[in-house]
Amino acid sequence: MKPALFAFACVLTAAVATAQQGSTAQPGSTPQQGTAARQTSTAQQGNTAQQAQDPQQPTFRTGVDVITVDVGAVDGRGQPVNDLHGPEFTVKIDGQVRRVVSADLVKYDYTPDAGITRRPAPKLQEFETPFTTNITQPDGRMIMIAVDQMNIRPGAARPILDSAKRFLDRLNPADRVAFVSYPEPGVVVDFTGDRQRLRLAMEKVIGTQSRFVGRRNIGLVEAIDIAQKGDDRRMQEVTNRECRGLLDMALEQCMRDIVDESNSILWTTRRDTEASLRGLREWLQHLGETEGQKTLILLSEGLVTDSPSDLEDVVRAAMRGRISVNVLLMDVPRSDATQGPLPPTFTEDRELEIRGLNDLASLSRGSIFQVVGTADRAFERLASEISAYYLLSVEQAPADRDGRNHRIDVSVSRRGVTLRSRQAFVLDPTGGRKTPDESLVESLRSPLGVAGVPLRLTTFIYQDPKALGKVRIVMAADVGQAGTPSGQYTMGFIVVDDQGKVVASRSQKSKLEPLEARTNTSLSYLDAVTVEPGVYEVRLAAVDADGRHGSVVRDVNAWKMAGEEFTFADLVVNHAATASTGLRPDVEPHVDADGVAAYMELYAASEETFKDVKVEFEIAEDDAAPALLTMPVELKPGAQPTWRNAQGFIGAEPLPSGRYVTRAKIMRGGKVAAVLVRPFILEPAPASKGGPIVIPAAFARVATFDRSAVLQPALVNGMLDSIAATSPSLKSAMTEARAGRYGPAALEALSAGDQQTAAFLKGLDLYTKGQLPQAAIQLNIAAGPRREFYPAAFFLGASFAGLSRDQDAAGVWQMALGAEQRPPIAYTLLADARMRGGQIDAVITVLKPAYAQRPADDEVGKRLAIAYLVTAAFSEALPILDSYLTRHPADGDALFAAVLAQYQIATATGAELSTADRAKLLKYGRAYKGPQEPLMAKYLSSMGVNR
């Protein structure tokens, strides 16, 4: 049976070799769905600044002129020494001192404890991580725990494996751990963050060591001296002990037995050693195929070797794979009933068994820890030692790259510091150039991200409409830094289930481009795969045209959706302008001010479920911040009768540029059932954009026409007074009209021979009765072709407005204004009609002179300010708003509009606010108590004003 990791590698290689093109998810076709801090400090030689090295870089990866060497440094208590500097290190290669260019400390979070305290479970986050990236330094390590079961007595591993379980609890949540026992058949668990799976695997290991049992009690050292070295003195010692009292033929037979059994012991020991080293070498080679620094913790009772040269292949595999080998040496009691009588050379035998493991650890940049009973203290010491190491950049010589072993010696001038370093290195004379497919496989093997090509990966989970009961994982990724030019990449992914099995994979060569041809974004990658519901690990890798390669690893919960009483898929957001061609899933889409489009799917067992389900889309600064903008969404039929789609658009004009999130709030039965979150970046509005903007406040709402507003007695009587002043013969008609009897007044005017006034009064009578079409006919006759009879023209416009004919109303009112002073309501009604018709510039034309004549008229001033705001004339709007607020300091809509205007001015000019402006804004901000408070706070904070 092949080891699982070997099978895993085969799957990767096969995936790349076949380069399956697969079905890439098309835009819109597939809608969505913590760690210990590592610190890096740099100690430099001279004044040259050296950038901290990523611990995932190869241990002996070379640049133009340096070799990178990893070195552990601990004090007498096993605690890492974190304050060494480059000049304190001395490095010799083949006996010659080389210049240390820099010494970079790589440190992982580590909290000492008594070895039995379980790390608290990480706090559950209310929201999922939006994306996973390899841009920041990875917090995790790769640690393999290996059990040499050939050299462990049956059952003897249980106490140390119990300690290993507790050791798992002290590791960083981001650490990935593998567990193996060898030789085959053994237990294999690939690198995983599932600690429980590792614990269960440890329960299956028992140890398979079996001592040779013969007729004589011969120690291992005795057998080697007799069978291998032909030591006559040792033969005589054993003969005297084992053949005591025997003579002649019996003595000869006894001596032959001693020789035969010595040969058998030697052969058995060599067989077991070769099997053990072969199993260890194979695992080191498999580890070496995974990019990054690795730690191997070997559990064994001993390893018999003739000399350190027997370990050459193993040490070379560890060196090439950048693996440090740490050994936990298990104690062997002097009396063990399972192993027969105590060998006469027990102490010497143990020294021989220990020596091999000592050599292995010292040659592989590791430590050896002797364990008696439980191994808690040893694991605690080991946890401390592997929590930090130095990366030394050492000057390279041309002769180093000859493909041969070169001895390397590292020392430090400070006393009390113990160094753990390799004793040799080999550089590939070809420079280690790999094909894109080889680099892709190498990156995908790593359980931690590889940083050669910047990547950000997110996933979206949906029910697959074509595969009953299955789930579709959509993978969206940003490739490269912002501004990376379009180019050819070798892309690949694997999907690994919770048992370490690769369930899906694909690789392909693609030309990647930024979305919408933007120049300030990364390149976009999109793919999808269908799987059974479950928990998976997605690994995505990219190789660019220059051979640089990177990868990112993301845990994915592809939850079950089919057959559930009620559930939902992930949220997708993107630039609203792209929605017409299908909303493409993206990591962190760039959105212009025209807004955000959002989409999600909901599933239920019955259509009745959706009767009490509602969805709102929100924009906020982060997942927990108050909503800045909110929009209810109507649920529409989906691909199946029990599916629903929620899709909507939120205009982003009111928001300052920057990073935001879109939230989908799902409510059921009046309670919040779930909140889904996706990030986006709002781009700055172009300076030349101009044009109207959206004012998200009640202040900007255009008044609907109120028919009764023009029937106020003071207004009507004023109109009648103007008629009476020019027509004394209409006294009787005016008396009736002032009494509100407009029908009889019309007859009196007709009797007096004034048909125009009669038509006006008849029209006014019809208007008061709500007979607007008939009123308009009479008033049109009375107003005259040039609308010179103002009372009739005024109410004609009112009739048109009451009939929702705002354009006709505004035309009549505009023509009738003339150059005379008109009632204030005439200007506000005309402005409202123009506003409702979207003729904002005409509103300003009407109201600007009216406001100049009546600057204290709040109705005129308020409308003029609105018109200025909507046309982005913020400098003109602000003085009007400031004046208005002196008389109405608690008007929340005006307060918000004033802060908005000031924000827009500050954004456009980039000028610093004056002390007076800051004080004014602070007063406005504190006075505002309304629904736009989060957005108000956003404007103020962006101007450096904090309430």
Side-chain angles (χ1 to χ4, degrees), residues 781-796:
I781 295 171
R786 300 182 63 83
R787 311 308 185 199
E788 60 274 10
F789 186 23
Y790 184 75
F794 177 82
F795 279 98
L796 175 60

PDB file of all heavy atoms in Angstrom, residues 781-796:
ATOM      1  N   ILE A 781     -58.836  79.615 -20.556  1.00  0.00           N
ATOM      2  CA  ILE A 781     -59.495  80.711 -21.274  1.00  0.00           C
ATOM      3  C   ILE A 781     -59.197  82.033 -20.576  1.00  0.00           C
ATOM      4  O   ILE A 781     -58.880  83.037 -21.201  1.00  0.00           O
ATOM      5  CB  ILE A 781     -61.012  80.449 -21.343  1.00  0.00           C
ATOM      6  CG1 ILE A 781     -61.293  79.196 -22.189  1.00  0.00           C
ATOM      7  CG2 ILE A 781     -61.753  81.666 -21.881  1.00  0.00           C
ATOM      8  CD1 ILE A 781     -62.752  78.741 -22.129  1.00  0.00           C
ATOM      9  N   ALA A 782     -59.274  82.015 -19.236  1.00  0.00           N
ATOM     10  CA  ALA A 782     -59.097  83.252 -18.483  1.00  0.00           C
ATOM     11  C   ALA A 782     -57.655  83.741 -18.507  1.00  0.00           C
ATOM     12  O   ALA A 782     -57.402  84.958 -18.525  1.00  0.00           O
ATOM     13  CB  ALA A 782     -59.539  83.034 -17.038  1.00  0.00           C
ATOM     14  N   ALA A 783     -56.705  82.843 -18.510  1.00  0.00           N
ATOM     15  CA  ALA A 783     -55.287  83.244 -18.404  1.00  0.00           C
ATOM     16  C   ALA A 783     -54.800  83.973 -19.627  1.00  0.00           C
ATOM     17  O   ALA A 783     -53.894  84.815 -19.535  1.00  0.00           O
ATOM     18  CB  ALA A 783     -54.415  82.018 -18.148  1.00  0.00           C
ATOM     19  N   GLY A 784     -55.387  83.693 -20.781  1.00  0.00           N
ATOM     20  CA  GLY A 784     -54.969  84.341 -21.993  1.00  0.00           C
ATOM     21  C   GLY A 784     -53.790  83.625 -22.636  1.00  0.00           C
ATOM     22  O   GLY A 784     -53.059  82.858 -21.992  1.00  0.00           O
ATOM     23  N   PRO A 785     -53.558  83.828 -23.904  1.00  0.00           N
ATOM     24  CA  PRO A 785     -52.500  83.098 -24.623  1.00  0.00           C
ATOM     25  C   PRO A 785     -51.104  83.389 -24.084  1.00  0.00           C
ATOM     26  O   PRO A 785     -50.212  82.533 -24.163  1.00  0.00           O
ATOM     27  CB  PRO A 785     -52.681  83.583 -26.064  1.00  0.00           C
ATOM     28  CG  PRO A 785     -53.407  84.880 -25.959  1.00  0.00           C
ATOM     29  CD  PRO A 785     -54.282  84.773 -24.756  1.00  0.00           C
ATOM     30  N   ARG A 786     -50.852  84.536 -23.531  1.00  0.00           N
ATOM     31  CA  ARG A 786     -49.535  84.871 -23.005  1.00  0.00           C
ATOM     32  C   ARG A 786     -49.518  84.807 -21.477  1.00  0.00           C
ATOM     33  O   ARG A 786     -48.583  85.255 -20.840  1.00  0.00           O
ATOM     34  CB  ARG A 786     -49.126  86.273 -23.470  1.00  0.00           C
ATOM     35  CG  ARG A 786     -49.050  86.397 -25.006  1.00  0.00           C
ATOM     36  CD  ARG A 786     -48.588  87.774 -25.414  1.00  0.00           C
ATOM     37  NE  ARG A 786     -47.245  88.034 -24.924  1.00  0.00           N
ATOM     38  CZ  ARG A 786     -46.128  87.630 -25.549  1.00  0.00           C
ATOM     39  NH1 ARG A 786     -46.221  86.932 -26.682  1.00  0.00           N
ATOM     40  NH2 ARG A 786     -44.953  87.912 -25.046  1.00  0.00           N
ATOM     41  N   ARG A 787     -50.581  84.249 -20.908  1.00  0.00           N
ATOM     42  CA  ARG A 787     -50.730  84.053 -19.466  1.00  0.00           C
ATOM     43  C   ARG A 787     -50.583  85.383 -18.715  1.00  0.00           C
ATOM     44  O   ARG A 787     -50.029  85.477 -17.639  1.00  0.00           O
ATOM     45  CB  ARG A 787     -49.693  83.051 -18.927  1.00  0.00           C
ATOM     46  CG  ARG A 787     -49.593  81.751 -19.712  1.00  0.00           C
ATOM     47  CD  ARG A 787     -50.936  81.083 -19.902  1.00  0.00           C
ATOM     48  NE  ARG A 787     -50.844  79.775 -20.543  1.00  0.00           N
ATOM     49  CZ  ARG A 787     -51.852  79.150 -21.138  1.00  0.00           C
ATOM     50  NH1 ARG A 787     -53.059  79.743 -21.195  1.00  0.00           N
ATOM     51  NH2 ARG A 787     -51.703  77.971 -21.675  1.00  0.00           N
ATOM     52  N   GLU A 788     -51.198  86.414 -19.325  1.00  0.00           N
ATOM     53  CA  GLU A 788     -51.035  87.737 -18.755  1.00  0.00           C
ATOM     54  C   GLU A 788     -51.956  87.961 -17.549  1.00  0.00           C
ATOM     55  O   GLU A 788     -51.710  88.854 -16.737  1.00  0.00           O
ATOM     56  CB  GLU A 788     -51.322  88.814 -19.818  1.00  0.00           C
ATOM     57  CG  GLU A 788     -52.713  88.786 -20.409  1.00  0.00           C
ATOM     58  CD  GLU A 788     -52.844  87.841 -21.592  1.00  0.00           C
ATOM     59  OE1 GLU A 788     -51.876  87.050 -21.824  1.00  0.00           O
ATOM     60  OE2 GLU A 788     -53.871  87.858 -22.277  1.00  0.00           O
ATOM     61  N   PHE A 789     -53.069  87.192 -17.447  1.00  0.00           N
ATOM     62  CA  PHE A 789     -53.949  87.309 -16.291  1.00  0.00           C
ATOM     63  C   PHE A 789     -53.406  86.370 -15.215  1.00  0.00           C
ATOM     64  O   PHE A 789     -53.697  85.175 -15.209  1.00  0.00           O
ATOM     65  CB  PHE A 789     -55.389  86.965 -16.675  1.00  0.00           C
ATOM     66  CG  PHE A 789     -56.385  87.201 -15.586  1.00  0.00           C
ATOM     67  CD1 PHE A 789     -56.145  88.107 -14.529  1.00  0.00           C
ATOM     68  CD2 PHE A 789     -57.611  86.518 -15.578  1.00  0.00           C
ATOM     69  CE1 PHE A 789     -57.088  88.309 -13.534  1.00  0.00           C
ATOM     70  CE2 PHE A 789     -58.553  86.733 -14.567  1.00  0.00           C
ATOM     71  CZ  PHE A 789     -58.279  87.617 -13.554  1.00  0.00           C
ATOM     72  N   TYR A 790     -52.601  86.912 -14.301  1.00  0.00           N
ATOM     73  CA  TYR A 790     -51.817  86.069 -13.389  1.00  0.00           C
ATOM     74  C   TYR A 790     -52.649  85.169 -12.494  1.00  0.00           C
ATOM     75  O   TYR A 790     -52.326  83.985 -12.331  1.00  0.00           O
ATOM     76  CB  TYR A 790     -50.876  86.922 -12.527  1.00  0.00           C
ATOM     77  CG  TYR A 790     -49.991  86.046 -11.652  1.00  0.00           C
ATOM     78  CD1 TYR A 790     -48.914  85.347 -12.191  1.00  0.00           C
ATOM     79  CD2 TYR A 790     -50.282  85.882 -10.292  1.00  0.00           C
ATOM     80  CE1 TYR A 790     -48.142  84.526 -11.400  1.00  0.00           C
ATOM     81  CE2 TYR A 790     -49.509  85.051  -9.491  1.00  0.00           C
ATOM     82  CZ  TYR A 790     -48.434  84.366 -10.048  1.00  0.00           C
ATOM     83  OH  TYR A 790     -47.688  83.531  -9.282  1.00  0.00           O
ATOM     84  N   PRO A 791     -53.746  85.655 -11.828  1.00  0.00           N
ATOM     85  CA  PRO A 791     -54.529  84.737 -10.969  1.00  0.00           C
ATOM     86  C   PRO A 791     -54.989  83.493 -11.703  1.00  0.00           C
ATOM     87  O   PRO A 791     -54.916  82.372 -11.170  1.00  0.00           O
ATOM     88  CB  PRO A 791     -55.687  85.598 -10.495  1.00  0.00           C
ATOM     89  CG  PRO A 791     -55.151  86.996 -10.537  1.00  0.00           C
ATOM     90  CD  PRO A 791     -54.283  87.035 -11.761  1.00  0.00           C
ATOM     91  N   ALA A 792     -55.478  83.685 -12.940  1.00  0.00           N
ATOM     92  CA  ALA A 792     -55.940  82.528 -13.709  1.00  0.00           C
ATOM     93  C   ALA A 792     -54.762  81.630 -14.077  1.00  0.00           C
ATOM     94  O   ALA A 792     -54.855  80.392 -14.024  1.00  0.00           O
ATOM     95  CB  ALA A 792     -56.677  82.993 -14.965  1.00  0.00           C
ATOM     96  N   ALA A 793     -53.629  82.233 -14.468  1.00  0.00           N
ATOM     97  CA  ALA A 793     -52.453  81.429 -14.827  1.00  0.00           C
ATOM     98  C   ALA A 793     -51.939  80.648 -13.619  1.00  0.00           C
ATOM     99  O   ALA A 793     -51.518  79.489 -13.734  1.00  0.00           O
ATOM    100  CB  ALA A 793     -51.355  82.336 -15.370  1.00  0.00           C
ATOM    101  N   PHE A 794     -51.968  81.276 -12.446  1.00  0.00           N
ATOM    102  CA  PHE A 794     -51.485  80.606 -11.240  1.00  0.00           C
ATOM    103  C   PHE A 794     -52.300  79.337 -10.971  1.00  0.00           C
ATOM    104  O   PHE A 794     -51.753  78.266 -10.724  1.00  0.00           O
ATOM    105  CB  PHE A 794     -51.578  81.563 -10.052  1.00  0.00           C
ATOM    106  CG  PHE A 794     -51.163  80.937  -8.750  1.00  0.00           C
ATOM    107  CD1 PHE A 794     -49.823  80.831  -8.403  1.00  0.00           C
ATOM    108  CD2 PHE A 794     -52.129  80.428  -7.874  1.00  0.00           C
ATOM    109  CE1 PHE A 794     -49.455  80.250  -7.198  1.00  0.00           C
ATOM    110  CE2 PHE A 794     -51.768  79.844  -6.674  1.00  0.00           C
ATOM    111  CZ  PHE A 794     -50.417  79.745  -6.326  1.00  0.00           C
ATOM    112  N   PHE A 795     -53.653  79.461 -11.016  1.00  0.00           N
ATOM    113  CA  PHE A 795     -54.484  78.297 -10.717  1.00  0.00           C
ATOM    114  C   PHE A 795     -54.536  77.316 -11.885  1.00  0.00           C
ATOM    115  O   PHE A 795     -54.801  76.125 -11.688  1.00  0.00           O
ATOM    116  CB  PHE A 795     -55.889  78.748 -10.312  1.00  0.00           C
ATOM    117  CG  PHE A 795     -55.951  79.179  -8.870  1.00  0.00           C
ATOM    118  CD1 PHE A 795     -55.878  80.522  -8.524  1.00  0.00           C
ATOM    119  CD2 PHE A 795     -56.068  78.232  -7.858  1.00  0.00           C
ATOM    120  CE1 PHE A 795     -55.917  80.921  -7.195  1.00  0.00           C
ATOM    121  CE2 PHE A 795     -56.113  78.631  -6.527  1.00  0.00           C
ATOM    122  CZ  PHE A 795     -56.023  79.979  -6.184  1.00  0.00           C
ATOM    123  N   LEU A 796     -54.273  77.792 -13.109  1.00  0.00           N
ATOM    124  CA  LEU A 796     -54.127  76.855 -14.239  1.00  0.00           C
ATOM    125  C   LEU A 796     -52.931  75.940 -13.999  1.00  0.00           C
ATOM    126  O   LEU A 796     -53.007  74.723 -14.188  1.00  0.00           O
ATOM    127  CB  LEU A 796     -53.964  77.625 -15.538  1.00  0.00           C
ATOM    128  CG  LEU A 796     -53.685  76.757 -16.783  1.00  0.00           C
ATOM    129  CD1 LEU A 796     -54.820  75.767 -17.035  1.00  0.00           C
ATOM    130  CD2 LEU A 796     -53.454  77.662 -18.009  1.00  0.00           C
TER     131      LEU A 796
END
